[in-house]
Amino acid sequence: MTNSRNKALLLALSAAAAATAVTAATLPAQAAAAPRAEVPALTWQPCAKPGGPAGQECADLPVPLDYADPRGPQIKVAVSRIRSDRPEARRGTLVVIPGGPGGSGVQRLTQKGTALRQQLGGAYDLVAFDPRGVGGSTTASCGLAPEDRYLTALRSWPAPDGDITENLARSRRTAEACARNGGPVLRSFTTANQVRDMDRLRAALGERKLSAWGVSYGTYVGAVYAQTYPGRTDRWVLDSSGDPDPKRVARGWLANMAQGSEDRFPDFAAWAAHPDRDKDGLRLAQRPEDVEPLLLSLFASLDRTPRPSTTPGVPLTGNGLRQALQNTLYSDSAFPAFARLAAALRDPAHTPALPPELARPLRDEDAAQLVAVLCNDVAWPGGSQADRQRAVDEDRARHPLTAGMPVNVLPCSFWKDAPQGKPTKITNHGPSDILMIQSRRDPSTPHSKSLKMREALGDRAVLVTVEQGGHGVYLGNGNACGDRTVTRFLTTGERPARDTSCAN
């Protein structure tokens, strides 16, 4: 897995993770009244990568550190584009909005650009950018110790017995380190600023309107943009949306992962118990209902005795295997690798190879960006250790696969800087130009919670439910009906007349 996918899995926010995920503040009054900065010209340079689309270009977009002082200090946002190869068919610009927080738009455009070109037939220049703190954009650091930057630490898994004492200590020291070392740049990492930066990119491109495809956390960025600048949206696709509740946002997305995992796990269980797995040695049980008890037993065994791995100094723990399962549920294509790991663990002499996302800590800059967006966007509640422990205990009992992680304490509860504004409330105000697409069994942004986004958007949107599992539908999980519906909308403007579904 690439580092960007690791970060996206934290919330997937996309997400979560995972996850992903993840919140925006409304424009402060002083920002609305402030003088506007001049829109800079973009100087494009070739940046095509091996295996990526030909003709990809990159540039740096200067943006205000603080939009309340638009002519003050500037930072840079890395942007990329793939120009339409059929100018006569071109109708505008499509922005690819990555998941996360922490996903790289530039990298996602590299990964999906060729497929998008094939699907869209030159209708758009394809554009993406790295949000503040990501990839080629201006970054910041919290100065976190490596042990606090592993995925299983950032995801705040409780101790094997459910105790959260260490989670509390880690969350406090992370918040303190970010306050001490992050400075104004770290404080600027918000969804609201990502939306403002996206509109500044629109202006720099000379476009009156944008079209967009946002995935996971990117759906929230897209929804906030459409709420803030409704007259500047053309055709808008929200792929794998979470609940936009402005009182909870990222906190709600994390909590909802427990239900998402429960919704999705039967797909893996059916796959792992199917007789077809016998030929590859990947059949974990004779019946689907026996797969979960087997994995719970493996978790407990690794909780008691972590297994040395092929990565020196990094054993495979019960929480490591739990996190590996959460990552696996995002896509059917990940099932074989996890089943191979689980099957091998039944041999006490086996030394497991860790999935790449578990084998090393995230870069400090990447961990800082993830934490900052979660914590800068909205105030998180405090509470006594006893109250927090009770919430984790209850969630562990209801959802054993996620073991209380989705409701556990994060650095946001100890964050030193208050949000600069209230999270954006998503409403039905604006043109009816949004197509939502969602898996029925999404492990990160469960379908039942995506209906909250659908309800908030009202007549602005139509929802297409794909009757399968996974996270990220368009050009991601192989559903021809879903792909066809999104492509038709982006190329012709045609949407289903009402909410509908696509068979698996």
Side-chain angles (χ1 to χ4, degrees):
M1 262 188 206
T2 64
N3 242 3
S4 66
R5 184 181 174 199
N6 301 344
K7 292 177 285 181
L9 286 168
L10 292 173
L11 276 178
L13 305 130
S14 318
T20 169
V22 222
T23 32
T26 52
L27 287 167
Q30 67 268 29
R36 298 181 64 181
E38 293 184 7
V39 177
L42 294 169
T43 302
W44 297 101
Q45 300 290 336
C47 63
K49 300 290 191 298
Q56 186 167 0
E57 300 174 297
C58 293
D60 289 333
L61 173 72
V63 298
L65 174 62
D66 181 357
Y67 275 91
D69 182 17
R71 294 177 184 170
Q74 305 285 299
I75 59 177
K76 74 170 183 176
V77 166
V79 302
S80 186
R81 75 175 176 186
I82 304 168
R83 303 185 74 172
S84 168
D85 54 358
R86 293 180 57 200
E88 73 283 0
R90 183 188 181 278
R91 63 173 309 276
T93 292
L94 176 76
V95 179
V96 177
I97 311 175
S104 165
V106 173
Q107 186 176 58
R108 185 159 181 81
L109 183 61
T110 302
Q111 295 166 343
K112 295 294 186 179
T114 299
L116 281 169
R117 260 185 170 172
Q118 293 171 348
Q119 288 286 320
L120 302 180
Y124 297 94
D125 289 345
L126 308 173
V127 174
F129 66 100
D130 286 348
R132 301 174 183 222
V134 175
S137 297
T138 298
T139 61
S141 297
C142 287
L144 303 180
E147 59 268 23
D148 291 340
R149 292 188 268 114
Y150 279 90
L151 195 52
T152 48
L154 291 166
R155 272 295 183 87
S156 206
W157 290 93
D161 62 356
D163 183 73
I164 65 169
T165 302
E166 176 53 30
N167 302 121
L168 285 161
R170 180 185 297 117
S171 293
R172 285 193 181 95
R173 65 177 176 260
T174 297
E176 290 168 357
C178 289
R180 186 167 58 248
N181 301 317
V185 172
L186 188 78
R187 290 194 291 274
S188 81
F189 296 167
T190 65
T191 301
N193 277 337
Q194 184 172 340
V195 166
R196 295 178 182 113
D197 293 345
M198 182 170 155
D199 195 58
R200 187 167 170 84
L201 174 59
R202 175 200 59 78
L205 292 169
E207 295 284 8
R208 188 173 63 88
K209 292 185 177 184
L210 294 172
S211 293
W213 169 37
V215 180
S216 191
Y217 165 63
T219 65
Y220 187 69
V221 176
V224 173
Y225 186 97
Q227 184 70 37
T228 308
Y229 306 109
R232 300 174 188 175
T233 61
D234 185 7
R235 296 172 185 171
W236 225 244
V237 176
L238 304 182
D239 181 345
S240 304
S241 303
D243 182 352
D245 179 356
K247 295 179 181 178
R248 290 166 58 82
V249 264
R251 185 164 57 94
W253 300 335
L254 281 165
N256 293 339
M257 287 184 64
Q259 184 59 56
S261 296
E262 295 289 340
D263 293 345
R264 171 64 161 152
F265 184 77
D267 291 339
F268 174 74
W271 181 93
H274 196 280
D276 285 354
R277 307 288 88 78
D278 278 329
K279 64 180 182 297
D280 298 317
L282 300 181
R283 192 176 186 186
L284 298 182
Q286 297 299 304
R287 304 179 304 166
E289 57 265 34
D290 295 330
V291 175
E292 182 172 347
L294 167 68
L295 292 182
L296 293 176
S297 176
L298 285 174
F299 297 155
S301 174
L302 292 168
D303 283 340
R304 292 189 298 270
T305 310
R307 188 83 63 90
S309 76
T310 57
T311 303
V314 187
L316 179 60
T317 64
N319 283 338
L321 190 61
R322 291 182 181 97
Q323 182 63 62
L325 173 62
Q326 299 312 307
N327 297 354
T328 295
L329 296 179
Y330 277 51
S331 173
D332 289 7
S333 64
F335 287 1
F338 182 81
R340 192 171 294 111
L341 174 61
L345 287 171
R346 289 188 279 191
D347 175 3
H350 176 72
T351 300
L354 296 176
E357 66 272 16
L358 300 181
R360 61 188 66 87
L362 270 69
R363 292 192 319 151
D364 188 55
E365 294 87 349
D366 297 336
Q369 197 272 351
L370 166 68
V371 172
V373 175
L374 300 183
C375 302
N376 285 335
D377 278 356
V378 64
W380 289 55
S384 68
Q385 181 168 346
D387 288 341
R388 296 176 189 277
Q389 185 68 65
R390 188 177 306 111
V392 168
D393 291 344
E394 291 173 354
D395 205 62
R396 283 169 66 87
R398 284 195 298 267
H399 304 289
L401 290 173
T402 49
M405 177 274 292
V407 300
N408 202 1
V409 65
L410 286 177
C412 305
S413 293
F414 305 101
W415 208 241
K416 304 301 181 183
D417 296 301
Q420 297 177 9
K422 294 181 179 179
T424 297
K425 181 179 180 181
I426 305 302
T427 73
N428 62 355
H429 299 155
S432 183
D433 58 2
I434 298 172
L435 177 68
M436 294 178 60
I437 188 163
Q438 195 87 15
S439 290
R440 176 70 71 183
R441 298 179 299 281
D442 188 315
S444 179
T445 53
H447 187 272
S448 59
K449 304 305 179 183
S450 74
L451 296 178
K452 298 292 186 180
M453 178 73 86
R454 174 68 188 89
E455 180 182 7
L457 291 169
D459 290 340
R460 294 198 69 185
V462 172
L463 171 65
V464 177
T465 298
V466 175
E467 300 293 345
Q468 64 185 61
H471 184 67
V473 179
Y474 185 53
L475 306 181
N477 275 332
N479 184 276
C481 168
D483 289 351
R484 187 168 57 247
T485 303
V486 174
T487 296
R488 183 185 302 119
F489 171 62
L490 289 174
T491 53
T492 71
E494 180 185 343
R495 291 183 309 182
R498 60 186 62 84
D499 291 356
T500 188
S501 63
C502 283
N504 188 358

